Amino acid sequence: MSAAPPTATTADVVLVVDFGAQYAQLIARRVREARIYSEIVPSTMPVAEILAKKPAAIILSGGPSSVYAEQAPTLDRAIFEAGVPVFGMCYGFQLMAQTLGGTVDNTGRREYGRTTLHVSRPGSTLFAGTPDEQDVWMSHGDACSAAPEGFTVTASTDGVPVAAFENDEKKLYGVQHHPEVMHSTHGQQVLEHFLYRGAGLEPTWTTTNVVEESVAAIRAQVGSRRAICGLSGGVDSAVAAALVQKAIGSQLTCVYVDHGLMRKDETAQVEKDFVAATGVQLKVVDAEERFLTALKGVSDPEDKRKIIGREFIRVFEQAQAEIVAEAGEHGEAVDFLVQGTLYPDVVESGGGTGTANIKSHHNVGGLPEDLEFELIEPLRRLFKDEVRMVGKELGLPDEIVQRQPFPGPGLGIRIVGEVTKERLDLLREADAIAREELTAAGLDREIWQCPVVLLADVRSVGVQGDGRTYGHPIVLRPVSSEDAMTADWTRMPYDVLAKISTRITNEVADVNRVVLDVTSKPPGTIEWE
Ligand code: XMP
């Protein structure tokens, strides 16, 4: 398989060095909200390699370690001597302090949660124009008691004498708190002060640029050859397809694989909405039997993902052969496969930060080794909300752009247990009811997505009509989220839940119980598998 080349060339990149615990993703998002492109690199990357990427600025994230712990991640001090502006946050701040000769005390006293920050230098680069007293989010054990030489202390808290410092001459800045977290009331402003004032960057990274750069990169990559794109009905593949279509027009054919794991009426909707909006060439392949045969007897979630990923590719390869045959002897070969892989998919599949592989999202970790296509992944650098903005920029209608996320492996990973046609039909009914009621209650925007899960291997006793039942539970998993990296369960109105529950148990045969999942992410993931 060939790796996807970069799909955009962005002048200024701010690198976020990831010290763990998911702070880095949030920081990268916040930098992008400030209209500057940002990427995450693992803290294990050698400093020379980080600098070779020519970052316009570097941010050191927070992390769960103490700088005193034996295995604590460190950084070569060269990172502070390269003339590149650096902003350390929490762990990154302490690392900067310690490396440059300041004092970090192993107090063992934790400061956790909302804390008042006292700004002692209101005219400083980071805090200019922000209040002298402000709420910040803290999460640390050690504390800095003396700044390195040449640094000015700009803020403190009741528990920490040095809660922020800066050295304008060397362009080095640090804060003990987490400016990226919403609870830090002026966090975004402090971050932007670093980017605009400290590092002297301009907010030039816009959706229009992303589209223009991607289109140019795709044209350069594909030339006069042809590409196919798997459409799933979700936002990501739709936006990826629209972007590639803008770049290479009729050299693109979209393939919609009906794997039988779709939700009710989904296939018809793709055929109607997407084709109407883009005028793209669409080929629909009915592959239900093939997928269900391949999934027979399989219960393990990762096995399911791998099988679904593999079958997808085999179907694409078949579609490729058909498209070439239809084009006749003068047709160009189909060499490219477009995928709507997002930045969080890359990071969560272990591709971005070297963190653990949580799930092999089929379009990242589950592709077969002998893939015959080169990949085009134009959204590989984007977060979901950015993808939606790109979709809007490309003129896609709200029905597509605002759709809730739906996983590529579809209902296959929402049946806990073996996937069969009967179980899929049952889940499709329950899912359709839940979606109908959520839409009727006007909750589509508030809820990020609401997986409806069938616990096929579980039965419980119920009573319906005059008799005992022994049916399956359905789980409702409504979550609120900004980017699916973290999520909380949505506090939905009880009457809507009651309506969904009543309808599902009345209308869906073999289901006698509906339960609500009240777990955040972490520790739970959004999908059950
Ligand atoms: P988790 O369950 O990891 O999900 O919290 C995060 C987001 O990713 C979606 N998801 C997938 N998407 N292939 C996909 O294309 C997959 O295998 C897959 N697994 C999870 C999930 O719906 C949520 O939006």
Side-chain angles (χ1 to χ4, degrees), residues 305 348 359 361-362 405 407-409 413 449 484 521 525-527:
R305 276 197 172 73
E348 289 216 337
K359 291 181 187 178
H361 288 193
H362 81 273
I413 55 162
Q449 68 186 114
K521 172 184 179 178
T525 51
I526 293 176
E527 303 290 349

Side-chain angles (χ1 to χ4, degrees), residues 454-489:
L454 171 66
L455 304 187
D457 289 344
V458 177
R459 281 182 184 273
S460 73
V461 175
V463 54
Q464 259 164 323
D466 295 329
R468 173 190 192 271
T469 58
Y470 194 45
H472 298 292
I474 282 282
V475 180
L476 302 177
R477 173 72 167 136
V479 293
S480 304
S481 177
E482 254 187 283
D483 55 16
M485 304 290 299
T486 59
D488 199 3
W489 59 282

